[in-house]
């Protein structure tokens, strides 16, 4: 996050302070000016920042000194064990895809596209413009910026067939990222102790959100064509569930895209059981070979609750997504959002709207396709050549990830360790299964790491797998 | 939110489109250029924006037309009633303090300071700088920006007495506003069906967050000195609760500030019951006559979970707050945040850190005191003069609000309607009580509306109360 000259000096001095004894004298401003080739103002700002962080203290007329650490006895927190009780679900403090990779390594584990795939200039310009508008200083409406809600509604309405009443801006609730939308939808529409159907394998974030809500997850097997309608009907009938969570387009992790026929069948099952389909259209802007066709555009009876995110296509820092929900369900979701976080930063909403309504946004999305395609194809080819034991059931037609099946006897922990030793972070597939995994899988992100390193990465995975085979 | 010339044209044309018949021709670009005195580029941008919102469609070479509304049959959402079931708690879609007031009215109901009380130049400059840094384009750490966590820890540590181990940056979890922090704390530390002690009257947002979490709220009466330690001990003992939520400094709505002795007594009761005290230090930057002394600074055994927000002092659009929690409880909170929203926009975090580490931030806070004091004193004096029936139990020494007790027989709904008719929005006190209100109260924000209108506002309240008295 540190990229200006003050920041660089702060980072450097922090490192120095960390190993200096308490009370040590920080070099004089003059010495620092000389060392960093920075202006006295910059050096003073850096020293003030260190002071604000509690790392140094200045004694006027004497100098600046490393702050003496206070005497520390290890506190005893054991009483908390009783107060906290066992949680109703074990939720990790940090899921694998959210971990930081090695600084110069290849991060195949993360869920975000590389910075060069983002519309950087559009985002920066939009943020600067938003910083100068009222949006920077006023509280936004609970349901979101009216114009942004209209944009989300229009995006979905644009693919609605004739005869289907398109969604209206009032059906849209802006949320600070689709994870927040998922959490609210699960809490508001399922709730503690109730059953929730979910594709398996399915999105790890949804598995965590379901656990947090206290819902009872009922896994429904899903493959490259989506869930089998008979399986699904059985799960609804057996459990009395009223909600299915799914990613019909470029599912994470499998990359599956439901055919129009399958989508109709699933929607029919959902309707027949008086249920909701939560359609998480996370990769709407990340198509490669196909164009996403949201199921929600085909439903005007309020069965599909639609989630659309801009985090992965605009910027991970512009935390803006939308829940489109029609009927009383929209009020239930809005009430949960109000209780959870009241409203979404108007600045981020204004910036998001600015980006997606620029003509350059469409140009950017068109240019993204060939880049994603080249990356995907290179990783597929590298694996085929160097890691033939990593089997791809199918090549995804969009999204960010490959989902590789490994040989049955694969020790995933050992694989992850061996890859880490070679500078590569991988995400064992375990976290994408609500229950036991159906086998050893690994999810590999082709959109994040440097493609020049794909062949090496594939070689390392291949070697690690070969070592397990030969054992 | 609209403050530039394109925005003004869009807003104006939206209003025109709203009353125009479908298919109506939008005036030509040339005519619009003339009408608005804007450049052709600006007019084109406005028309494109209207197109992106789905309001008009352009036919190249012909013109731009109001989009024909598709035939609409009212959809039937009644099936959702069965799928949604009754909620475990009734949560309003919009709490009174979050409602928009009348455009030219006096909004005494809202919970935010006026824009002129915000450090506008600091905020805009910080946002512009952040827009140009990496923070605008990368995903932030799950627990928050390290430097911002260090700042929050240092702020609290600065008031820790000798002998108390101060909190460390690792004890800090950055959250997108304190409402999100509250929601996570209640979910993670209390959970569905468990008892949660709360001051009554108490903060409406906390009441909603508790309802959303499924916790059973146990109200503990609280007055200008905070809760009575015996009442509190009894509530812990009777219910087996392990958590008390409170605002010890400038409590919302009462403005109460606990004395140091009362704080010690409450903390002793909390410790004796192996419980957590959630200290919501929402108004830390909004002191008038006193300086806030967080209880959390006196506890290094992990009993106090501390919430500090910047939303009301930096900007409502910079949704950044922190939970400081020591011991295993920090992991429990962090896990809930991960499941709820993964991380907080790095851009907003960088901007917040920028603002609070500028020397001008301290200057701003010093300048804020006399402004809040003048506003508070003017509203107090106006009420005393023009609305003597609105009784103030005590004058708050900080914060944003007065809490007035009204005569027993007051009809609050009628009072709100009469005030609205006079252009004034008030917040009946009902929403600050977890159960039945202890009497008719009203919360009046002196920091938001224009102080020049306080005498008129007080007159209107006085007249409305007098009308009820005379009935």
């Amino acid at each position: 996050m540190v990229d200006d000259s003050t920041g660089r000096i702060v980072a450097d001095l922090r490192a120095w302070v960390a190993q200096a004894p308490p009370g040590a004298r920080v070099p004089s401003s003059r010495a620092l000016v000389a060392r960093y080739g920075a202006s006295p103002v910059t050096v003073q700002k850096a020293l003030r920042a260190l002071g604000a962080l509690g790392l140094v203290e200045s004694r006027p007329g004497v100098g600046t000194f490393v702050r003496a650490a206070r005497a520390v006895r290890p506190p005893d927190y054991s009483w908390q064990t009783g107060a906290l009780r066992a949680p109703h679900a074990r939720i990790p403090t940090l899921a694998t895809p959210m971990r930081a990779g090695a600084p110069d390594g290849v991060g195949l584990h993360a869920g975000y596209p590389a910075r060069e795939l983002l519309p950087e200039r559009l985002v920066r310009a939009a943020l600067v413009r938003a910083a100068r508008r009222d949006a920077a200083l006023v509280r936004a409406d609970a349901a979101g910026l009216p114009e942004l809600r209209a944009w989300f509604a229009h995006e979905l309405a644009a693919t609605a067939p004739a005869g289907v009443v398109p969604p209206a801006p009032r059906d849209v609730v802006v949320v600070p990222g689709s994870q927040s939308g998922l959490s609210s939808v699960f809490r508001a529409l399922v709730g503690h102790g109730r059953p929730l159907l979910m594709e398996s394998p399915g999105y790890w974030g949804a598995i965590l959100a379901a656990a947090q809500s206290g819902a009872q997850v009922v896994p429904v097997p899903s493959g490259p064509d989506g869930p089998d309608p008979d399986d699904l009907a059985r799960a609804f009938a057996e459990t009395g569930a009223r909600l299915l969570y799914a990613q019909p387009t470029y599912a994470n992790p499998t990359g599956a895209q439901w055919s129009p026929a399958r989508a109709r069948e699933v929607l029919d099952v959902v309707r027949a059981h008086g249920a909701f389909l939560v359609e998480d259209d996370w990769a709407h802007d990340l198509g490669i070979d196909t164009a996403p066709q949201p199921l929600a555009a085909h439903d005007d009876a309020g069965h599909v609750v639609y989630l659309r995110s801009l985090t992965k296509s605009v910027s991970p820092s512009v935390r803006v997504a939308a829940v489109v929900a029609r009927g009383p369900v929209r009020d239930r979701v809005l009430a949960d959002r109000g209780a959870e976080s009241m409203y979404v930063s108007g600045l981020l909403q204004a910036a998001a709207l600015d980006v997606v309504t620029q003509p350059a946004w469409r140009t950017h999305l068109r240019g993204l396709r060939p880049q994603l395609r080249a990356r995907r194809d290179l990783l597929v080819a590298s694996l085929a050549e160097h890691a033939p034991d990593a089997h791809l059931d199918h090549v995804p037609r969009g999204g960010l990830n490959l989902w590789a099946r490994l040989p049955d006897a694969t020790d995933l922990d050992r694989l992850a360790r061996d890859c880490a030793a070679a500078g590569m972070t991988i995400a064992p597939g375990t976290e994408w299964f609500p229950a036991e995994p159906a086998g050893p899988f690994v999810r590999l992100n082709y959109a994040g790491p440097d493609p020049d390193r794909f062949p090496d990465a594939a070689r390392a995975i291949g070697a690690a797998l070969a070592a397990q085979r030969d054992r």
Side-chain angles (χ1 to χ4, degrees), chain A:
Chain A
M1 298 271 167
V2 171
D3 56 357
D4 55 1
S5 57
T6 309
R8 245 178 294 120
I9 300 174
V10 170
D12 199 55
L13 287 177
R14 272 180 75 113
W16 180 82
V17 166
Q19 50 74 49
R25 182 195 285 265
V26 178
S28 71
S29 299
R30 191 181 303 174
L32 294 174
V33 163
R35 183 195 296 178
Y36 293 110
S39 74
V41 172
T42 302
V43 164
Q44 276 311 318
K45 276 169 72 179
L47 288 175
R48 270 202 307 273
L50 289 172
L53 296 173
L55 297 172
V56 301
E57 53 196 346
S58 74
R59 296 180 208 140
V62 186
T64 303
F65 299 86
V66 174
R67 208 150 176 266
R70 306 194 202 189
V72 171
R73 57 175 163 73
D76 179 9
Y77 301 128
S78 58
W79 70 270
Q80 289 187 355
T81 311
L84 286 172
R85 299 181 180 92
H88 66 80
R90 281 257 184 200
I91 302 178
T93 50
L94 199 59
T96 304
M98 293 294 285
R99 288 180 200 278
D104 296 313
V106 185
L108 295 156
H109 66 299
Y112 292 84
R115 187 159 146 178
E116 59 265 31
L117 299 182
L118 299 173
E120 176 165 345
R121 285 172 54 180
L122 279 180
V123 170
R124 291 195 194 279
L127 286 167
V128 168
R129 275 192 290 270
R132 293 177 175 144
R133 299 178 70 177
D134 283 355
L137 291 155
V138 301
R139 177 177 69 70
D141 287 349
L145 204 64
E147 291 84 356
L148 183 60
R149 296 168 73 194
W151 180 83
F152 276 116
H154 178 60
E155 281 274 298
L156 189 52
T159 60
V164 172
V165 183
R170 79 167 300 281
D171 302 324
V172 177
V173 179
V174 176
V175 293
S178 63
Q179 185 70 18
S180 298
L182 276 182
S183 300
S184 278
V185 166
F186 292 167
R187 271 196 301 267
L189 309 195
V190 184
H192 195 83
R194 298 268 181 194
L196 185 169
L197 307 192
M198 190 181 273
E199 293 176 291
S200 176
Y203 173 45
W204 66 268
I207 296 171
L208 291 194
Q212 184 216 44
S213 76
Q216 293 294 329
V217 172
V218 179
V220 177
S222 194
D225 303 317
D228 177 82
D230 292 336
D231 279 351
L232 191 58
R234 204 176 306 122
F236 272 120
E238 280 177 7
T239 63
R242 294 293 196 113
L243 188 143
L244 163 68
Y245 166 79
Q247 295 184 331
T249 309
Y250 321 138
N252 178 357
T254 63
Q257 183 177 23
W258 302 358
S259 69
R262 173 59 54 96
R264 269 193 306 276
E265 288 171 333
V266 168
L267 209 42
D268 284 345
V269 172
V270 165
R271 285 197 189 105
H273 289 87
F276 294 104
L277 166 64
V278 178
E279 177 181 22
D280 181 359
D281 197 14
W282 73 283
H284 188 86
D285 298 322
L286 306 172
I288 298 177
D289 305 321
T290 56
Q293 300 290 337
L295 271 69
H298 295 260
D299 164 64
D300 57 9
H303 282 282
V304 181
V305 174
Y306 178 75
L307 270 142
R308 167 90 187 265
S309 172
L310 297 174
T311 304
K312 302 207 177 192
S313 51
V314 170
S315 160
S317 210
V318 179
R319 296 291 279 149
V320 169
V323 176
V324 186
R326 308 171 68 171
V329 62
R330 173 259 187 197
D331 291 347
R332 196 69 71 90
V333 171
L334 182 56
D336 187 274
R337 285 320 304 164
E340 172 62 36
S341 68
M342 291 194 185
Y343 64 94
V344 178
S345 162
L347 176 104
L348 297 184
Q349 293 190 65
L353 178 67
D354 184 330
V355 169
V356 297
T357 53
Q358 299 284 341
W361 167 244
R362 294 283 152 205
T363 316
H364 166 77
L365 289 183
R366 274 194 303 275
L368 191 55
R369 275 174 181 266
Q371 294 193 67
L372 287 174
R373 180 180 291 121
R375 285 168 165 267
R376 179 198 63 186
D377 292 349
L378 179 59
L379 188 55
V380 169
S382 300
L383 288 173
E385 185 173 349
H386 304 297
D389 284 347
H391 173 74
L392 296 178
D393 219 27
H394 85 132
V395 174
R397 284 167 292 181
L400 305 173
N401 310 296
L402 302 182
W403 179 242
R405 173 70 151 91
L406 306 180
D408 262 353
T410 307
D411 176 340
L412 282 173
D413 287 339
R414 189 181 156 207
L415 179 71
R417 277 197 309 276
D418 289 351
C419 284
M424 226 145 330
T425 318
I426 61 163
T430 329
E431 290 178 45
W432 281 266
F433 288 93
E436 295 78 5
F441 288 86
V442 64
R443 192 194 72 165
L444 303 169
N445 176 345
Y446 53 77
D450 177 2
D452 288 349
R453 302 184 66 181
F454 285 177
D456 283 349
R459 253 180 232 113
I461 294 171
L465 287 173
Q468 294 203 16
R469 192 177 51 204
D470 299 343
R471 192 164 52 164

